Amino acid sequence: MSAAERQRTCAACGGAFEPGERTELETVVDGGILYVAVHTRHSTYPPRRETEAARRLA
């Protein structure tokens, strides 16, 4: 069973996964190594400084 099938929702936005939808995995260290599923182009990691600065200036 895949992480997306176990979770059923995105770890970043909470939105449901559609059947057959492509997902990405991210590693989370919380007393052990866990893998969480997220929608494509979503992330549980904070944005890089350069990316955030560019977004604010746009």
Side-chain angles (χ1 to χ4, degrees):
M1 180 178 281
S2 73
E5 290 172 337
R6 283 193 310 272
Q7 281 178 227
R8 294 187 299 238
T9 59
C10 177
C13 75
F17 293 121
E18 298 295 324
E21 179 179 11
R22 299 195 102 206
T23 60
E24 296 181 9
L25 287 178
E26 290 189 350
T27 305
V28 176
V29 178
D30 183 24
I33 299 174
L34 307 172
Y35 294 95
V36 296
V38 295
H39 287 117
T40 302
R41 291 188 292 279
H42 285 195
S43 180
T44 59
Y45 303 128
R48 295 180 56 195
R49 283 186 186 185
E50 297 85 4
T51 305
E52 185 64 19
R55 186 187 65 78
R56 289 183 185 191
L57 291 173

